[in-house]
Amino acid sequence: MIFDGNKCNFYSPNDTYAFYKEDDRYILDITSVLGESLSQTVNIIDDDNIEIAGASLKRME
């Protein structure tokens, strides 16, 4: 997955996103190029791993 500061490719190839902290949890809001939205809680496991709503993601070298 790529996050370049403006776009990411989590939901579709060219999503826009917002990543922010709300109270004591992190939230990832994603909007696809077709306007479909997805909001997920992000759990930071360690420096190389995060979990987004049941989907574990690992940093690729």
Side-chain angles (χ1 to χ4, degrees):
M1 180 170 351
I2 298 170
F3 291 90
D4 71 3
N6 293 311
K7 304 222 183 265
C8 69
N9 62 347
F10 181 80
Y11 188 58
S12 69
N14 200 20
D15 307 322
T16 56
Y17 71 94
F19 180 67
Y20 55 94
K21 188 171 185 179
E22 184 175 271
D23 299 320
D24 61 344
R25 60 189 188 131
Y26 291 95
I27 306 293
L28 177 64
D29 290 337
I30 300 168
T31 303
S32 76
V33 294
L34 298 176
E36 300 165 318
S37 296
L38 177 68
S39 183
Q40 299 293 326
T41 299
V42 176
N43 298 313
I44 299 174
I45 297 168
D46 58 34
D47 288 344
D48 296 319
N49 298 279
I50 62 174
E51 184 176 83
I52 301 175
S56 295
L57 303 172
K58 185 174 183 172
R59 182 185 307 206
M60 301 299 290
E61 303 273 341

